[in-house]
Amino acid sequence: ASTFLSQKPKSELVRTSLRLLTSSAYRLQSECKKTLPVEMCPGTDIQLVTQQVIQCAYDIAKAAKQLVTITTKENNN
């Protein structure tokens, strides 16, 4: 029972990281589409879109780092 309980939080951390990774990647794709000439509306604020792209990229990097940290810890145990 102890082993099961100790692994459950790791699994939850993995799920949380994967959710962040997936949602951030989806948002990144959506924000990048706004910069395409076909998709761009006349009132598109490029500076705001750029900030959103940077935030999405940061969230992706953060989630990836969390996954690396979790898997490294699991492999060392």
Side-chain angles (χ1 to χ4, degrees), residues 2-38:
S2 177
T3 305
F4 174 76
L5 291 176
S6 66
Q7 289 183 3
K8 191 168 182 167
K10 292 178 185 176
S11 297
E12 183 56 37
L13 286 173
V14 169
R15 283 193 293 273
T16 301
S17 297
L18 288 173
R19 276 194 297 269
L20 177 60
L21 190 58
T22 304
S23 64
S24 298
Y26 180 78
R27 280 181 44 229
L28 180 62
Q29 181 184 29
S30 175
E31 293 298 331
C32 286
K33 276 186 177 179
K34 294 178 186 177
T35 65
L36 298 174
V38 180

Side-chain angles (χ1 to χ4, degrees), residues 49-65:
V49 172
T50 302
Q51 289 173 351
Q52 292 298 321
V53 167
I54 291 167
Q55 183 61 50
C56 293
Y58 173 81
D59 289 341
I60 289 170
K62 179 179 169 183
K65 182 179 179 189

